[in-house]
Amino acid sequence: MHSLQSANRDGSLNAASLREEQLHLSLLVSSSWRTINFHVVPVVRRKLGVPALEGAQQMPGFPEGSLRRILSQGVDLVPASTQLWRTSTDYLLTRLLGELGSLQGHRLDSLSILDRVNHESWRDGGRTDGLTFGHLKTVLLWASVLFPAPEDWAELQGAVYRLLVVLLCCLATRKLPDFLHPQRNLLQGSGLDLGAIYQRVEGFASQPEAALRIHATHLGRSPPPRIGSGLKALLQLPASDPTYWATAYFDVLLDKFQVLNIQDKDRISAMQSIFQKTRTLGGEES
């Protein structure tokens, strides 16, 4: 098979990395600020129900009926080796992101911002290993379930922090559940330095201005961090008690960052109840 290569310019495609023994064709697409590597693979679409996905059809945060409609399309089969195939839910997840994009608010905008910060700041322009777009995409899907109210996504800063609190919790507990197979941990076996990544993400959450400055007039004395001590211990609670993986707990985290901004009295009451529980636990440990 011939090697294909075009000039390295914006919008160019590069298939020079193609090898006969590989299971995919790599296409390098250059944009204005980075190069994206796409893996093109053969796909067999099977309209088979997957028992593990049945519970996902009940998740809030998506347009009514969209989860059932998308998941009913079944899963794809993609090459696992030269002789074996494996199931893939990538297409289903892409369709779910499309459904989120049809809603009012800044869900996809917040994902786009963190994707760029991840590449340029947390991964040093792509020079170091770190979180993938797939990790961030999964964080958005979980955040959409945990924060189903339209008011959660009405303001861009608040939308970004809804992803950040979920991401920080996953890094602190070293567990990011697969959205369609929650028993799977997408961080397990990744080989990533999760402690170092956590420090970078927490640093951004504390002072996002340092990573988002785009003009010299924005330079100046940075504001004080938005969080105090003890955050990481609070973030680790779901590791010992899975019931914390709920809206009220993450509302406590949003309140820590001073970006909660909700009016629902029942939700505020639930958040305050969880906050008192965490204070009681902190008192018992001290």
Side-chain angles (χ1 to χ4, degrees), residues 162-179:
R162 276 146 180 80
L163 269 67
L164 281 173
V165 293
V166 175
L167 177 57
L168 283 168
C169 179
C170 292
L171 291 171
T173 59
R174 298 177 175 266
K175 181 178 181 181
L176 172 58
D178 185 301
F179 186 69

Side-chain angles (χ1 to χ4, degrees), residues 9 16 27 36-37 44 57 72 120 134 204 217 275-277:
R9 59 184 184 275
L27 290 179
I36 304 175
N37 186 2
V44 176
Q57 300 183 27
S72 67
E120 294 187 345
F204 172 76
T217 57
F275 177 69
Q276 291 299 326
K277 181 179 178 181

